[in-house]
């Protein structure tokens, strides 16, 4: 099991002296602003975790809240104010935005965030730089995955990597990062025929799908490294009983709470994988650690260019 929680804690410890040094030099800590529009319960939890991690690591971490009734111009105006803020080095707009803002709200917002403050790495300029392999702010989850593989000594160069999922926030950027590190990369999606056979070719398999337990043993070459990005809520007692043997702590937790956070990878994959990230405690904590790293980087880059 690849322990993302322990690695994230280590990374935050490594950041702490750099945060202090920034504060000493500039008379203020690096600052992160998180914009939360509406009241999505999952977003509330994610934002709370990010703010807590930020404060604990010595950052200034501010929540900028807008009501569900806010209009797109309201959101863009807030982002504009944060772009001009001298105390905020990083801006994160928590997804998803309320549907009422319209279908083009996300791209409009990402187009508005100043690229040098875009700690999520979603602004088109940063996406373009990533595509060209130039230094830039890279999306946190893909960055965390590469950091994990690197620090765990899992070779990437020359290996076959397979990414299931082609979203802009996980699938595409992680595929690009693996390619930059000389893996031979295949990107799969919902229209890929014989998905299991394609995945079985991989030395490194990244599952970023959003379908609980879709990746079974049949998808995994023995000894392969499997990175489970999925975050799904299991609610079906029959599925929980099938997945975990009687007495298993995960089954006990499910029975206690009635739900369970699970990944895209079926628990049985642990029997064949050489290394596997758990859910929870794998990619999730690393994503937050990389957000802190990106905020510090943004702060240092802007301060250095003044
Ligand atoms: P997304 O935008 O919904 O993309 C899902 C991708 O999976 C799409 O490319 C889709 O293919 C593909 N897919 C769906 N069903 C499939 C199937 N049956 N077979 C093969 N491919 C299939 O999701 P996302 O934002 O990338 O997130 C993916 C998962 O990661 C979610 O569970 C999310 O909660 C989780 N996540 C976790 C973190 C973290 O910090 N741990 C961060 C971000 C996301 P098409 O393109 O063909 O539709």
């Amino acid at each position: 099991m690849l322990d993302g929680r322990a690695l994230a804690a280590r990374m935050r410890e490594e950041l702490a002296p750099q945060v202090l040094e920034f504060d000493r030099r500039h008379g203020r800590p690096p600052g992160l602003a998180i914009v939360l529009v509406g009241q999505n319960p999952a977003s509330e939890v994610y934002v709370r975790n990010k703010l807590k991690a930020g404060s604990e690591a010595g950052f200034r971490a501010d929540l900028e809240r807008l009501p569900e009734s806010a209009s797109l111009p309201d959101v863009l105006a807030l982002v504009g104010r944060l772009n001009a803020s001298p105390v905020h080095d990083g801006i994160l707009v928590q997804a998803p935005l309320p549907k009422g803002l319209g279908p083009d709200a996300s791209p409009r917002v990402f187009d508005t965030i100043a690229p040098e403050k875009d700690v999520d790495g979603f602004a088109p300029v940063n996406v373009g730089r990533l595509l060209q392999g130039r230094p830039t702010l890279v999306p946190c989850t893909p960055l965390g995955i590469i950091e994990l593989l690197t620090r765990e000594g899992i070779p990437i160069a020359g290996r076959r990597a397979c990414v299931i999922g082609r979203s802009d926030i996980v699938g595409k950027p992680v595929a690009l990062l693996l390619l930059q590190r000389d893996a031979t990369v295949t990107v799969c999606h919902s229209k890929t025929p014989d998905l299991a056979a394609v995945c079985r070719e991989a030395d490194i398999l990244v599952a970023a799908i959003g379908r609980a337990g879709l990746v079974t043993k049949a998808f995994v070459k023995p000894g392969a490294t499997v990175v489970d990005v999925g975050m799904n809520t299991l609610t079906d007692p029959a599925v929980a009983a099938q997945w975990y043997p009687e007495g298993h702590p995960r089954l006990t937790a499910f029975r206690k709470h009635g739900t369970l956070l699970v990944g895209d990878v079926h628990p049985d994959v642990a029997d064949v994988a050489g290394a596997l990230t758990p859910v929870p405690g794998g990619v999730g904590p690393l994503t937050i650690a990389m957000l802190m790293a990106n905020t510090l980087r943004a702060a240092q880059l802007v301060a250095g260019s003044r």
Side-chain angles (χ1 to χ4, degrees):
M1 281 292 169
L2 299 172
D3 188 344
R5 206 171 269 146
L7 175 56
R10 219 158 51 238
M11 285 168 56
R12 282 202 301 271
E13 272 171 29
E14 289 167 14
L15 284 181
Q18 299 177 60
V19 173
L20 279 176
E21 174 60 16
F22 183 94
D23 196 342
R24 197 186 58 75
R25 277 186 179 212
H26 303 283
R28 66 166 184 86
L32 171 67
I34 301 185
V35 176
L36 179 59
V37 189
Q39 279 167 336
N40 179 314
S43 295
E44 298 272 351
V45 176
Y46 298 148
V47 165
R48 204 180 317 131
N49 290 341
K50 289 170 186 173
L51 290 169
K52 183 167 172 277
S55 310
E56 282 173 4
F59 290 76
R60 172 184 179 140
D62 294 327
L63 175 60
E64 301 284 342
R65 216 179 237 289
L66 286 175
E68 188 85 24
S69 58
S71 65
L72 185 54
D74 293 337
V75 182
L76 298 180
L78 173 57
V79 171
R81 282 199 298 282
L82 293 169
N83 281 343
S85 162
V87 295
H88 294 110
D89 306 285
I91 304 169
L92 180 153
V93 179
Q94 184 64 42
L97 290 168
K99 288 211 168 23
L101 290 176
D104 65 342
S106 289
R108 293 275 306 276
V109 169
F110 296 137
D111 286 356
T112 306
I113 297 176
E116 66 277 13
K117 293 192 177 190
D118 168 37
V119 285
D120 253 343
F122 296 161
V125 169
N126 289 327
V127 175
R129 286 189 185 135
L130 173 64
L131 185 70
Q132 293 179 333
R134 293 159 66 182
T136 190
L137 291 166
V138 174
C140 302
T141 302
L143 204 54
I145 293 169
I146 299 296
E147 193 71 27
L148 178 73
L149 296 176
T150 308
R151 291 201 188 211
E152 293 287 346
I154 291 163
I156 300 176
R159 299 302 158 112
R160 299 288 299 261
C162 181
V163 179
I164 319 176
R166 54 175 163 180
S167 71
D168 291 342
I169 64 168
V170 190
K172 284 181 201 160
V174 81
L176 284 171
L177 292 174
L178 289 163
L179 185 62
Q180 279 170 13
R181 281 154 186 80
D182 298 323
T184 301
V185 183
T186 305
V187 181
C188 302
H189 46 77
S190 65
K191 310 290 184 297
T192 302
D194 207 354
L195 184 63
V198 178
C199 294
R200 257 193 328 268
E201 300 272 306
D203 304 300
I204 299 170
L205 177 60
V206 180
I209 315 162
R211 302 277 184 280
L214 184 135
V215 175
T216 60
K217 275 187 192 179
F219 286 59
V220 180
K221 175 159 102 177
T225 297
V226 181
V227 178
D228 190 355
V229 185
M231 292 206 306
N232 313 291
T233 308
L234 187 66
T235 52
D236 186 340
V239 174
Q242 250 176 25
W243 278 25
Y244 304 105
E246 208 50 53
H248 193 285
R250 298 277 284 154
L251 187 58
T252 311
F254 175 84
R255 289 195 175 134
K256 187 170 170 205
H257 303 291
T259 64
L260 197 63
L261 176 67
V262 296
D264 292 337
V265 175
H266 193 284
D268 283 358
V269 166
D271 300 342
V272 283
L276 170 64
T277 62
V279 176
V283 173
L286 290 171
T287 298
I288 298 185
M290 297 320 299
L291 173 64
M292 300 307 134
N294 271 357
T295 303
L296 178 63
R297 181 143 185 263
Q300 289 168 333
L301 285 175
V302 170
S305 68
R306 272 196 203 114

Coordinates of all heavy atoms in Angstrom, one line a residue, residues 256-290:
K256 N -21.6 0.9 10.3 CA -21.8 1.9 11.3 C -22.3 3.2 10.7 O -23.3 3.8 11.2 CB -20.4 2.2 11.9 CG -20.5 3.2 13.1 CD -19.1 3.2 13.8 CE -19.1 4.4 14.8 NZ -17.8 4.8 15.1
H257 N -21.8 3.6 9.5 CA -22.1 4.9 8.9 C -23.2 4.8 7.8 O -23.8 5.8 7.4 CB -20.9 5.6 8.4 CG -19.8 5.8 9.4 ND1 -20.0 6.7 10.5 CD2 -18.6 5.2 9.6 CE1 -18.9 6.6 11.2 NE2 -18.1 5.7 10.7
G258 N -23.4 3.6 7.2 CA -24.3 3.4 6.1 C -23.7 3.9 4.8 O -24.4 3.7 3.7
T259 N -22.6 4.5 4.7 CA -21.9 4.8 3.5 C -20.4 4.6 3.7 O -19.9 4.5 4.8 CB -22.1 6.3 3.1 OG1 -21.5 7.1 4.1 CG2 -23.5 6.6 2.9
L260 N -19.7 4.5 2.6 CA -18.2 4.3 2.7 C -17.6 5.0 1.5 O -18.1 4.9 0.3 CB -17.9 2.8 2.6 CG -16.6 2.3 3.1 CD1 -16.3 2.6 4.5 CD2 -16.5 0.8 2.8
L261 N -16.5 5.8 1.7 CA -15.7 6.4 0.6 C -14.9 5.3 0.0 O -14.0 4.7 0.7 CB -14.9 7.5 1.2 CG -13.9 8.2 0.2 CD1 -14.7 9.0 -0.9 CD2 -12.9 9.1 0.8
V262 N -15.1 5.1 -1.3 CA -14.3 4.0 -2.0 C -13.7 4.6 -3.3 O -14.2 5.6 -3.8 CB -15.1 2.8 -2.3 CG1 -15.6 2.1 -1.0 CG2 -16.3 3.1 -3.2
G263 N -12.7 3.9 -3.8 CA -12.1 4.3 -5.1 C -12.7 3.7 -6.3 O -13.8 3.1 -6.2
D264 N -12.0 3.8 -7.4 CA -12.4 3.1 -8.6 C -11.9 1.7 -8.7 O -12.2 1.0 -9.7 CB -11.9 3.9 -9.8 CG -12.5 5.3 -10.0 OD1 -13.6 5.5 -9.5 OD2 -11.9 6.2 -10.6
V265 N -11.0 1.4 -7.8 CA -10.3 0.1 -7.8 C -10.9 -0.9 -6.8 O -11.1 -0.5 -5.6 CB -8.8 0.3 -7.6 CG1 -8.1 -1.0 -7.5 CG2 -8.2 1.2 -8.6
H266 N -11.3 -2.0 -7.3 CA -11.9 -3.1 -6.4 C -10.8 -3.5 -5.4 O -9.6 -3.7 -5.8 CB -12.3 -4.2 -7.3 CG -13.2 -5.2 -6.6 ND1 -12.7 -6.1 -5.7 CD2 -14.5 -5.4 -6.6 CE1 -13.7 -6.8 -5.2 NE2 -14.8 -6.4 -5.7
P267 N -11.2 -3.8 -4.1 CA -10.2 -4.2 -3.1 C -9.4 -5.4 -3.5 O -8.2 -5.5 -3.1 CB -11.1 -4.5 -1.9 CG -12.4 -3.9 -2.1 CD -12.6 -3.6 -3.6
D268 N -10.0 -6.3 -4.3 CA -9.3 -7.6 -4.7 C -8.0 -7.3 -5.5 O -7.1 -8.2 -5.6 CB -10.2 -8.5 -5.6 CG -11.2 -9.2 -4.7 OD1 -11.2 -9.0 -3.5 OD2 -12.0 -9.9 -5.3
V269 N -7.9 -6.1 -6.1 CA -6.7 -5.8 -6.9 C -5.5 -5.8 -6.0 O -4.4 -6.1 -6.6 CB -6.9 -4.4 -7.5 CG1 -5.6 -3.8 -8.1 CG2 -8.0 -4.5 -8.6
A270 N -5.6 -5.6 -4.7 CA -4.4 -5.7 -3.8 C -3.7 -7.1 -4.0 O -2.5 -7.2 -3.7 CB -4.9 -5.5 -2.4
D271 N -4.5 -8.1 -4.4 CA -3.9 -9.5 -4.5 C -2.9 -9.6 -5.7 O -2.0 -10.4 -5.7 CB -4.9 -10.6 -4.8 CG -5.9 -10.6 -3.6 OD1 -5.6 -10.1 -2.5 OD2 -7.1 -11.2 -3.9
V272 N -3.1 -8.7 -6.7 CA -2.2 -8.8 -7.9 C -1.3 -7.6 -8.1 O -0.2 -7.8 -8.7 CB -3.0 -9.0 -9.2 CG1 -3.5 -10.4 -9.3 CG2 -4.1 -8.0 -9.3
A273 N -1.7 -6.4 -7.6 CA -0.9 -5.3 -7.8 C 0.4 -5.3 -7.1 O 0.5 -5.9 -6.0 CB -1.6 -4.0 -7.4
G274 N 1.5 -4.8 -7.6 CA 2.8 -4.7 -6.9 C 2.7 -3.6 -5.8 O 3.3 -3.7 -4.8
A275 N 2.0 -2.5 -6.2 CA 1.8 -1.4 -5.3 C 0.4 -0.7 -5.6 O 0.0 -0.7 -6.7 CB 2.9 -0.3 -5.5
L276 N -0.2 -0.2 -4.6 CA -1.6 0.3 -4.8 C -1.8 1.4 -3.8 O -1.4 1.4 -2.6 CB -2.6 -0.9 -4.5 CG -4.1 -0.6 -4.4 CD1 -4.6 -0.1 -5.7 CD2 -4.8 -1.9 -3.9
T277 N -2.5 2.5 -4.3 CA -2.9 3.6 -3.4 C -4.2 3.3 -2.8 O -5.2 3.0 -3.5 CB -2.9 5.0 -4.1 OG1 -3.9 4.9 -5.1 CG2 -1.6 5.3 -4.7
P278 N -4.4 3.4 -1.5 CA -5.7 3.2 -0.8 C -6.6 4.4 -1.0 O -6.2 5.5 -1.3 CB -5.3 3.0 0.6 CG -4.1 3.8 0.8 CD -3.4 3.8 -0.5
V279 N -7.9 4.1 -0.9 CA -8.9 5.2 -0.8 C -9.7 4.9 0.5 O -10.3 3.8 0.5 CB -9.8 5.2 -2.0 CG1 -10.9 6.3 -1.8 CG2 -9.0 5.5 -3.3
P280 N -9.8 5.8 1.5 CA -9.1 7.0 1.5 C -7.6 6.8 2.0 O -7.2 5.7 2.3 CB -9.8 7.8 2.6 CG -10.4 6.7 3.5 CD -10.6 5.5 2.6
G281 N -6.8 7.9 1.9 CA -5.5 7.9 2.4 C -4.4 7.7 1.3 O -3.3 7.4 1.7
G282 N -4.8 7.9 0.1 CA -3.9 7.7 -1.0 C -3.6 9.1 -1.7 O -2.9 9.9 -1.2
V283 N -4.3 9.2 -2.8 CA -4.1 10.4 -3.7 C -4.7 11.7 -3.0 O -4.2 12.8 -3.2 CB -4.8 10.1 -5.1 CG1 -4.7 11.4 -5.9 CG2 -4.0 9.0 -5.8
G284 N -5.8 11.5 -2.3 CA -6.5 12.7 -1.7 C -5.6 13.6 -0.9 O -5.5 14.8 -1.2
P285 N -4.9 13.0 0.1 CA -4.1 13.9 1.0 C -3.0 14.6 0.1 O -2.5 15.7 0.4 CB -3.5 13.0 2.0 CG -4.4 11.8 2.0 CD -5.0 11.7 0.7
L286 N -2.5 13.8 -0.9 CA -1.4 14.4 -1.7 C -1.9 15.6 -2.5 O -1.1 16.6 -2.7 CB -0.9 13.3 -2.7 CG -0.1 12.2 -2.0 CD1 0.2 11.1 -3.0 CD2 1.2 12.7 -1.4
T287 N -3.1 15.5 -2.9 CA -3.7 16.7 -3.7 C -3.6 17.9 -2.8 O -3.3 19.0 -3.3 CB -5.2 16.3 -4.1 OG1 -5.2 15.2 -4.9 CG2 -5.8 17.5 -4.8
I288 N -4.0 17.8 -1.6 CA -4.0 19.0 -0.7 C -2.5 19.5 -0.4 O -2.2 20.7 -0.4 CB -4.7 18.7 0.6 CG1 -6.2 18.4 0.3 CG2 -4.6 19.9 1.6 CD1 -7.1 18.1 1.5
A289 N -1.6 18.5 -0.2 CA -0.2 18.9 0.0 C 0.3 19.6 -1.3 O 1.1 20.6 -1.1 CB 0.6 17.6 0.2
M290 N -0.1 19.2 -2.5 CA 0.4 19.8 -3.7 C -0.2 21.2 -3.8 O 0.4 22.1 -4.4 CB 0.1 19.0 -4.9 CG 0.8 17.6 -5.0 SD 2.5 17.5 -4.4 CE 3.4 18.6 -5.5

